[in-house]
Amino acid sequence: MSVYSHKKSPNALAPKPPKPSSGRAAFYDLDGTIVDLNLVHAAIFILANLGEWSGRVAYLLGFAARIPRLYVAERRDRRLLNTILFEAFKGVSRDRLLSLGEEYCERILIGHLFPRAVDLIEANRAAGIEPVLVTGSPDFIVAPLARHLRVADFAANRFVFSRGRATGRLAEPVMAGDEKAAWCADYAAGRNIDLGDCWGYADSHYDIAFLAALGHPVAVNPDRRLRAAALSRQWPVIHFEKAASSQPPDAFDNDYDLKQDIERLTRGSDGAA
């Protein structure tokens, strides 16, 4: 089990031992659930800001070459999507990723939080329900956001590094599909938390297993397949509006076309530098 904390330590992203239970927890997906952005936006931002323009072009071209595989993976397997997406970061230094993760969070991600999602996190916290982020986004982006939201623990995807540089491979467990549900079960078991007393929030049909593992699942801005599953299982469905500060070019619909989004963002990468 991998548990991460935003609290300062020799390695801020190092696994943390279990701590005493607070009784209940609320597990939140990130992209599309509490922010109106997705992994593609984050990837393009990072790749377009790596260094000298010549280096950026190489990374962006490599990313563009993966578009057909990403398009297929989005419709079949979220784990495969994450694996293909993060291959594009091979060779980037750990320090640079940490720096760009902080920059992306401060400049973009925080401004795209759904205001009602932040209110929900705080209301649950006030009721004694501790927030936990469970997301396929990379840890170097999730860690600064967790600090901003005062979320102590999170599960996120992690790169395998060799000599301080990303290998392009993800460490297990890859946070997608059933793995998110399994992580929540391990997390709860280590803290004597009953998942039946916990809440879960997600926007994608890929998260049905994650939501079904929790006693109080909630579909947030659901895609078509999650909406149908939620209605058939009588799960609550809620909708969050985008923040007033959100920029239209970065917004997306949960039923978006990934290929079109990637191509648009790649064409517009000059502006992200």
Side-chain angles (χ1 to χ4, degrees):
M1 179 176 69
S2 300
V3 179
Y4 302 90
S5 169
H6 72 268
K7 296 177 181 178
K8 292 182 179 180
S9 68
N11 180 353
L13 303 182
K16 300 292 178 181
K19 57 187 178 182
S21 168
S22 64
R24 293 182 294 172
F27 299 93
Y28 302 86
D29 176 48
L30 180 58
D31 301 333
T33 301
I34 66 174
V35 298
D36 66 348
L37 296 176
N38 59 42
L39 268 177
V40 173
H41 293 86
I44 293 296
F45 177 90
I46 300 297
L47 294 173
N49 287 277
L50 283 174
E52 296 298 325
W53 179 241
S54 59
R56 298 177 194 175
V57 169
Y59 277 107
L60 289 168
L61 288 175
F63 187 84
R66 292 175 171 84
I67 289 175
R69 295 168 62 203
L70 288 168
Y71 182 76
V72 172
E74 166 62 14
R75 282 150 176 75
R76 296 183 180 177
D77 186 343
R78 183 55 60 88
R79 178 189 173 99
L80 178 61
L81 174 68
N82 289 342
T83 300
I84 296 172
L85 184 64
F86 291 121
E87 285 176 353
F89 293 90
K90 182 178 181 180
V92 183
S93 72
R94 186 198 304 268
D95 289 345
R96 188 60 179 145
L97 288 173
L98 290 173
S99 175
L100 285 172
E102 294 276 357
E103 183 179 351
Y104 178 74
C105 181
E106 180 179 348
R107 287 179 52 188
I108 297 177
L109 198 58
I110 290 174
H112 285 267
L113 286 164
F114 291 118
R116 285 187 59 203
V118 176
D119 292 342
L120 175 65
I121 291 171
E122 292 306 320
N124 280 342
R125 197 199 313 268
I129 306 172
E130 288 299 313
V132 181
L133 301 180
V134 184
T135 173
S137 292
D139 54 3
F140 56 85
I141 287 175
V142 180
L145 182 65
R147 289 196 301 272
H148 174 79
L149 294 172
R150 297 185 298 114
V151 174
D153 297 326
F154 65 85
N157 275 324
R158 299 159 295 141
F159 281 121
V160 174
F161 290 92
S162 177
R163 298 181 179 179
R165 294 189 176 274
T167 63
R169 293 182 291 112
L170 291 175
E172 295 289 343
V174 175
M175 285 294 113
D178 293 347
E179 288 292 355
K180 294 172 75 171
W183 187 92
C184 291
D186 287 346
Y187 180 92
R191 288 157 178 75
N192 298 315
I193 294 174
D194 183 353
L195 286 183
D197 293 331
C198 294
W199 295 76
Y201 302 88
D203 71 307
S204 170
H205 68 277
Y206 287 113
D207 286 322
I208 289 176
F210 161 66
L211 291 173
L214 304 167
H216 303 281
V218 180
V220 180
N221 298 341
D223 60 23
R224 295 187 191 95
R225 291 171 63 180
L226 177 57
R227 184 182 297 112
L231 292 175
S232 68
R233 302 180 189 209
Q234 297 185 323
W235 293 347
V237 176
I238 60 177
H239 296 274
F240 293 151
E241 297 296 329
K242 297 179 176 66
S245 61
S246 293
Q247 297 299 314
D250 287 325
F252 73 100
D253 185 279
N254 281 311
D255 295 322
Y256 74 108
D257 186 312
L258 177 67
K259 185 175 182 180
Q260 181 183 44
D261 201 24
I262 294 171
E263 290 171 340
R264 177 179 59 78
L265 286 166
T266 303
R267 288 196 302 270
S269 62
D270 287 350

